[in-house]
Structures are given as structure tokens and as C-alpha cells.
Amino acid sequence: MIGRIKATLPLAVVIGVLALVWTDVALNFTFHWVTDGDLGNGLSLPSNFHLVVPAAFVAWGFFFAAGADTAAFVKVVIASVVGGLAALGAMAAASATADLPDFWGIALWVGIFATVLVLLSVLGDWHYVPATFGAFASVFFWWTATGLDYWAPDGGGVGNGLEALSDPATAGAGAFGGVISTPFVYVWLSITVSLLCGCVLGLLSVKLTALVTPRSPAEAEAEVVDKHPSHSS
């Protein structure tokens, strides 16, 4: 048990520090740095493009599930983009098929795109279905939280400013009284960028752990031998 803790501790500490940094940067970016007006409570109105803290953790987890190496990084990056684009298509198609209050259009297109995403696995190992589903679901989750824009007319708000937020007709249907109401295209963009940040965090966590992990004498000796092989006469 002690040996396992010692072996895991460097990675755990690196991930903890990176998680702290990401959460602080993402929340400040969204509610302090890139914003559209002071809410009067110490926070500011997020812009249409913002960073979504939990989305990065989704991709970060799939990076480790895929093998936690460069190949895994590439797989999850592709999955984040493909899954995000599939969700964008599903949001648009579902809203055009049947808008509020009918959910059958959403259900129909989610089913269609889910089928397509699984079928794409025949193209090769580069298409990592679990992470693609994770990206697809992340976009849909944030779409729901931010007002189901397009399916719900003006659900993402009309204009993004304090004046629009003050009027229920233009505030949108997003959480916190419309504070995070977001047009559906920006939902896709914000989540996709946040997922890609998670991919980078995953790769960084492995690379930094390798730098700070103490090596045993045997490992150090093996590295020296690899760099300076003996030459027989």
C-alpha cells in the first residue's frame, strides 16, 4: 500500500495543482476577465464565449482512459472536435425539426447522431467512441443549462448585455435568471475549446509528472547506458 501511494503521489500532486490552476483561470476568465458588464454582486456577465470548468475534466479523464500518451492525446482531441461538431449538427437539426415545447425532434436527432458516431468507429482506431460520446454529451449538457437556444426561441438571449438581461423578454432561458444564456453556436464553441484545454491538461499532467518523479538508481543507470552504449572492438 505504501509503495502504491509513493508511486501515485507525484501524479496526484501534479493533477491537483493543474486542476487548481485550470479552475481558477477558467472561472476568472468567465466571470471577471472576458465579460459583458458588472452584475453588481462582485461578478460580471459572461460573454457568449466562455470557458466551462467541468468540460475540461471530461476530456482529461478520457485522456487517461485512452492510455495517457501522445496517441491518447491525439485520439481525444479528434474525439472532442468530432463529438462537438456532431452535437452542433444535432442542436441545429433538432431545433429545425420540432421546437419548444416538443422534445421528439431532440430525441430523434440525438439518436441519429449517436448511431453515426458509433458507425464511424469502422474508420479506424483514431475514432475513439467513448470520448466522442463524452464531448457530444458535454455540449448537450451545456446547451440545456444555457437555455436550449434555437429550440427555445431566443433561449440564448437577445444580445448579451446588462440591458438585455434586465428584461425577461430578452434575457434568455439560461440558468441564474439568464446570466448564462448562450446562443447555441457559442455553446458548441465554448465547450469544444474547454474540452481541448482538458486534452492539454492531460498531456501536461503526464509530462510534468515524469519531470518531478524521482528515479531509482537502476532507472538512472539504464538511462546512462542507453545514451552511452558500449562499443565492442
Side-chain angles (χ1 to χ4, degrees), residues 12-30 33 51-53 56-57 60 197-198 200-201 204-205 208:
V13 171
V14 167
I15 289 177
V17 171
L18 288 175
L20 182 156
V21 172
W22 161 250
T23 302
D24 186 62
V25 168
L27 289 175
N28 276 291
F29 180 96
T30 299
W33 298 340
L51 296 176
V52 185
V53 173
F57 287 96
W60 198 346
C197 287
V200 173
L201 287 166
L204 276 176
S205 59
L208 292 176

Side-chain angles (χ1 to χ4, degrees), residues 114-161:
T115 302
V116 171
L117 289 176
V118 174
L119 288 174
L120 286 176
S121 63
V122 303
L123 297 178
D125 291 339
W126 61 267
H127 182 68
Y128 185 44
V129 175
T132 306
F133 265 53
F136 187 85
S138 295
V139 174
F140 258 83
F141 169 79
W142 202 238
W143 187 41
T144 302
T146 56
L148 290 167
D149 182 58
Y150 192 18
W151 177 80
D154 298 327
V158 179
N160 195 58

Side-chain angles (χ1 to χ4, degrees), residues 72-87:
F73 173 78
V74 173
K75 279 185 178 182
V76 181
V77 165
I78 293 173
S80 297
V81 173
V82 172
L85 287 173

Side-chain angles (χ1 to χ4, degrees), residues 25-126:
V25 168
L27 289 175
N28 276 291
F29 180 96
T30 299
F31 291 102
H32 289 306
W33 298 340
V34 182
T35 59
D36 287 325
D38 187 354
L39 291 172
N41 60 358
L43 300 175
S44 296
L45 180 66
S47 67
N48 283 330
F49 171 73
H50 46 268
L51 296 176
V52 185
V53 173
F57 287 96
V58 172
W60 198 346
F62 278 117
F63 167 78
F64 279 95
D69 54 15
T70 303
F73 173 78
V74 173
K75 279 185 178 182
V76 181
V77 165
I78 293 173
S80 297
V81 173
V82 172
L85 287 173
L88 177 63
M91 288 188 292
S95 301
T97 301
D99 60 11
L100 187 151
D102 297 316
F103 291 106
W104 66 266
I106 294 177
L108 172 66
W109 285 100
V110 166
I112 290 172
F113 275 93
T115 302
V116 171
L117 289 176
V118 174
L119 288 174
L120 286 176
S121 63
V122 303
L123 297 178
D125 291 339
W126 61 267

